[in-house]
Amino acid sequence: MIDHITIPSKQGKGRLHRIEEVFDCWFESGSMPYASQHYPFENKGAFESKFPADFVAEGLDQTRGWFYTILVLGTYLFDVSPFKNCVVNGMVLAENGKKMSKRLKNYPPVNLIIDRYGADALRLYLINSPVVRGEPLKFQEKGVKDVVQKALLPLWNSYRFFEQQIARLEGNGNVDFTFDPSPEARSENVMDQWILARCQSLLAFVNVEMAAYRLYNVVPRLLGLIDDTTNWYIRFNRQRLKGDRSIRDSLYALNTLFEVLYTLVRGLAPFTPFLADKIYLLLVRYIPEHLRARDPRSVHFHAYPEPREELFDEVVERRVRRLQTIVKLGHVSREREPRISLKQPLMELVVIHPDPQYLGDISIMEGYIQDELSIRRLVLSSGENYNVRSSVMPNLKTLNAKFKGEAKKLSDALQALSSRRAEQLVGGGSVVVEGVKLDTSSFAIKREISPPSNSKHLVTDTDGDVVIILDKEIYPELVQVRLEREIINRIQRLRKKAGLVATDSVKMEYVVVSDPTDVGIGEAFKNRVEAIGKAVGGEVKCLIDDNVDGVNPSIILEELQEVQGAVFLLRLSRLRIRECLS
């Protein structure tokens, strides 16, 4: 239909017309590695130095388009694939699973999402989704919001907490904080050692996975380190970081937290470029000049961090991993009893495991478990005195892959093994059933416990490996400890409401107004007053009755507080000169 059309040649080569030999237009795209360099007519050296490419990346719909033709041409011309890795992303669909359509407007505008949650949140949401595994994604705005709440805000709050403690340290101890990565500046504290070891394990893992272009494995581990930093390291070391023990110990903890944040922002830089750079620019002022990058203006001028071999510690990582298991199981057990507040101390937690190494690890971490779960006593047992039963759980996926028709028979034989035989397989080993030797890839050991029928105050839980028994009985001596914590909480809240910071010294006074249900608030103040004062950073005294209603210009703030029906007045007042001097 266009053969009659001709075009005069500007180069004097007569009239130009359509030729009959026309390739599929995808072959033009497939010629990209060569055509973009005008190879073989020029740039031969430049082309050969970059061929084959490290990777190509496109959507799943290019499997029979660009991916196919670039591969065909490369193998035909050079007998080699023109790319070493093929990164394929899936399709981003509307929330209802249908194709996104401008006509239907079945997706939120991109600019609206970025304005609302930030480009980092959208980027991280997509990288941490099925899309990077070549699978479809039903886009949900809630998913982007969750990234902000579960990853970006915790990271930012970790930095803010660090900054607040630096200001507190400099205000109280007249100490200027500077990051020191030398061995002499490293702490013997097990949590410091653990979080630094976690950083190195993460970096080693990320470098391997990034080299293999497995982005989908990287982001969950980076987010895991954020969780470990905020919900484990900072939470378990809050007093050390605040300097409540000693300035020296606080410096160790702050130095550790700085290194973790510094590692995180460099590790997250390719995934959350804006927030990572923001935090980096705030951190860089604490790095000595001789340790800064050649160009410290941006985190993106840094090479990706490499793990530091001297900080690896598999033993410490194992111990804290087991600590985390016990704490999680303990929280689940406590939450099953809604009438028992998480602030209420309990008497005893029993940890049962047949492996002495496991119990030894928990023993070393005993103090952390007691503090986190509000437990007065931790009992470790190999299980002889408890009704623990072990069973073998077959891995049907592995059995079907390896033995196909024999899988059902092998599965039944594994489940028929005695509790004693299953117990012998805890921690590894192999077993022969139906004449076939099976290792731990074909089965797992599940451990359960039945508490005595006459012990209704005991709560049990297990992850299939370790078993715990929690005594949920509230003993009288634990009631005052609970009230102490409630009082401390009310004082801290009142200080915050008054706009006071940690370094502000004020007079703290109280008077019990009423205790209609006799919860013992007065006794708690009287018997626990020293512990309360230590926790809130100052002495707490009882108000003289005739001074309760008096007008006092030194009063900063006073307020009635209520705990379990008991009412008491808290008053914060300015210190007099004589009190300041004393």
Side-chain angles (χ1 to χ4, degrees):
M1 301 183 76
I2 62 168
D3 281 358
H4 65 283
I5 298 174
T6 59
I7 302 171
S9 170
K10 291 183 179 180
Q11 297 177 354
K13 296 181 179 179
R15 302 196 68 80
L16 307 180
H17 58 86
R18 183 188 74 87
I19 60 172
E20 294 180 358
E21 300 83 2
V22 177
F23 275 113
D24 184 314
C25 67
W26 279 112
F27 277 80
E28 177 184 322
S29 299
S31 303
M32 176 274 299
Y34 330 105
S36 63
Q37 300 287 329
H38 202 217
Y39 177 87
F41 306 107
E42 56 182 317
N43 300 319
K44 189 172 185 230
F47 165 75
E48 290 175 350
S49 68
K50 298 176 183 176
F51 186 84
D54 288 327
F55 73 97
V56 293
E58 252 292 0
L60 188 64
D61 56 339
Q62 296 299 324
T63 303
R64 291 182 296 170
W66 185 47
F67 290 150
Y68 174 73
T69 54
I70 197 173
L71 183 62
V72 166
L73 281 170
T75 52
Y76 181 78
L77 293 172
F78 295 95
D79 200 27
V80 65
S81 168
F83 49 83
K84 299 173 187 175
N85 297 277
C86 184
V87 179
V88 185
N89 62 268
M91 298 292 105
V92 182
L93 307 174
E95 191 169 351
N96 60 5
K98 293 184 178 180
K99 186 177 179 180
M100 286 187 173
S101 166
K102 291 180 181 177
R103 178 177 60 85
L104 297 175
K105 296 182 179 178
N106 58 349
Y107 61 91
V110 175
N111 287 344
L112 177 67
I113 295 295
I114 292 175
D115 289 343
R116 192 171 286 168
Y117 306 108
D120 280 350
L122 178 59
R123 182 185 181 95
L124 199 59
Y125 170 69
L126 292 173
I127 295 174
N128 194 35
S129 75
V131 159
V132 293
R133 295 193 295 271
E135 300 170 9
L137 166 69
K138 295 178 183 178
F139 183 87
Q140 294 181 310
E141 184 176 340
K142 180 181 179 298
V144 184
K145 184 179 180 180
D146 286 346
V147 168
V148 175
Q149 293 177 336
K150 296 178 181 179
L152 303 186
L153 273 178
L155 177 61
W156 175 249
N157 288 337
S158 295
Y159 166 74
R160 291 286 297 149
F161 178 81
F162 167 79
E163 187 182 58
Q164 288 163 5
Q165 303 326 309
I166 293 294
R168 180 182 183 135
L169 178 72
E170 292 175 347
N172 285 346
N174 196 26
V175 177
D176 290 328
F177 174 81
T178 303
F179 172 56
D180 185 357
S182 67
E184 295 76 19
R186 285 199 292 275
S187 164
E188 295 298 317
N189 180 278
V190 66
M191 295 302 288
D192 291 350
Q193 294 172 345
W194 164 69
I195 197 66
L196 291 177
R198 277 282 290 116
C199 286
Q200 311 322 305
S201 298
L202 171 75
L203 292 176
F205 174 84
V206 169
N207 285 331
V208 169
E209 295 301 297
M210 291 279 276
Y213 294 86
R214 292 189 287 261
L215 296 179
Y216 44 84
N217 287 338
V218 172
V219 175
R221 293 288 285 267
L222 285 165
L223 299 183
L225 182 57
I226 294 176
D227 180 68
D228 280 341
T229 303
T230 56
N231 291 329
W232 294 94
Y233 181 74
I234 291 178
R235 184 171 175 173
F236 278 54
N237 294 273
R238 191 172 292 273
Q239 286 186 324
R240 294 178 61 231
L241 290 160
K242 286 184 174 182
D244 289 350
R245 297 181 182 175
S246 71
I247 290 180
R248 180 181 175 83
D249 194 38
S250 179
L251 284 170
Y252 277 134
L254 289 168
N255 203 59
T256 300
L257 181 56
F258 178 93
E259 186 156 353
V260 174
L261 292 172
Y262 188 47
T263 301
L264 266 171
V265 295
R266 289 178 294 155
L268 282 166
F271 306 97
T272 57
F274 298 104
L275 181 60
D277 203 41
K278 170 72 174 176
I279 296 177
Y280 163 80
L281 292 173
L282 293 167
L283 289 174
V284 75
R285 56 186 160 164
Y286 299 111
I287 303 175
E289 289 283 348
H290 68 282
L291 292 176
R292 295 183 185 180
R294 191 178 347 178
D295 191 337
R297 289 177 300 164
S298 171
V299 70
H300 303 296
F301 294 152
H302 281 256
Y304 204 79
E306 292 289 337
R308 294 168 58 187
E309 296 291 333
E310 72 274 15
L311 296 180
F312 278 104
D313 197 325
E314 293 181 2
V315 173
V316 167
E317 285 197 75
R318 184 192 70 221
R319 286 172 179 165
V320 177
R321 192 162 54 245
R322 289 171 172 174
L323 155 77
Q324 290 173 318
T325 298
I326 301 301
V327 167
K328 288 174 183 176
L329 289 173
H331 278 308
V332 169
S333 295
R334 292 193 66 123
E335 287 164 5
R336 278 207 222 118
E337 300 294 321
R339 69 182 183 85
I340 302 177
S341 166
L342 293 176
K343 294 179 181 179
Q344 173 61 56
L346 297 177
M347 186 61 74
E348 184 176 275
L349 176 72
V350 180
V351 176
I352 304 171
H353 199 281
D355 185 358
Q357 182 197 72
Y358 196 109
L359 297 179
D361 288 346
I362 296 302
S363 176
I364 291 170
M365 310 304 292
E366 179 176 356
Y368 292 105
I369 295 172
Q370 288 177 305
D371 289 345
E372 180 62 20
L373 294 177
S374 295
I375 300 298
R376 304 304 294 271
R377 184 168 61 243
L378 184 67
V379 177
L380 306 177
S381 172
S382 58
E384 294 89 347
N385 301 323
Y386 298 90
N387 186 21
V388 179
R389 174 174 172 75
S390 298
S391 58
V392 180
M393 302 296 293
N395 185 332
L396 292 175
K397 184 177 180 181
T398 302
L399 291 175
N400 282 321
K402 288 183 177 179
F403 304 103
K404 297 183 180 176
E406 300 292 311
K408 178 68 168 62
K409 182 171 66 173
L410 294 173
S411 173
D412 291 342
L414 285 171
Q415 292 181 74
L417 291 174
S418 68
S419 176
R420 184 175 181 180
R421 184 69 184 97
E423 196 75 15
Q424 293 170 351
L425 296 172
V426 172
S430 60
V431 62
V432 177
V433 293
E434 299 293 333
V436 179
K437 185 176 182 180
L438 301 174
D439 60 22
T440 51
S441 66
S442 301
F443 62 84
I445 306 300
K446 183 178 180 182
R447 310 181 75 241
E448 298 174 300
I449 186 169
S450 301
S453 57
N454 61 347
S455 302
K456 294 182 179 179
H457 62 285
L458 300 181
V459 182
T460 68
D461 213 329
T462 178
D463 65 344
D465 179 26
V466 67
V467 178
I468 69 165
I469 305 175
L470 179 66
D471 185 351
K472 65 182 182 182
E473 186 76 15
I474 301 176
Y475 297 93
E477 60 265 38
L478 299 179
V479 174
Q480 284 199 354
V481 179
R482 160 73 190 282
L483 291 173
E484 171 199 323
R485 293 181 180 180
E486 295 281 9
I487 292 167
I488 290 168
N489 173 264
R490 300 306 190 278
I491 294 173
Q492 300 287 33
R493 277 167 29 185
L494 192 63
R495 286 181 61 99
K496 185 175 181 180
K497 187 174 181 179
L500 300 174
V501 297
T503 54
D504 290 332
S505 296
V506 295
K507 183 190 293 186
M508 292 174 280
E509 298 170 298
Y510 75 92
V511 66
V512 175
V513 177
S514 66
D515 189 0
T517 56
D518 197 23
V519 298
I521 197 75
E523 289 80 1
F525 266 113
K526 183 178 178 181
N527 298 333
R528 311 290 302 180
V529 70
E530 279 193 32
I532 294 169
K534 186 175 180 181
V536 297
E539 192 176 9
V540 180
K541 292 183 177 181
C542 181
L543 275 166
I544 301 171
D545 289 343
D546 60 7
N547 192 33
V548 174
D549 297 320
V551 178
N552 188 341
S554 68
I555 294 175
I556 300 171
L557 184 64
E558 63 179 18
E559 198 170 81
L560 287 174
Q561 305 290 334
E562 184 269 333
V563 171
Q564 298 180 38
V567 179
F568 57 95
L569 178 79
L570 282 181
R571 175 183 290 175
L572 303 178
S573 307
R574 294 178 183 85
L575 292 171
R576 299 189 183 114
I577 294 176
R578 185 172 58 188
E579 291 171 316
C580 292
L581 292 174
S582 64

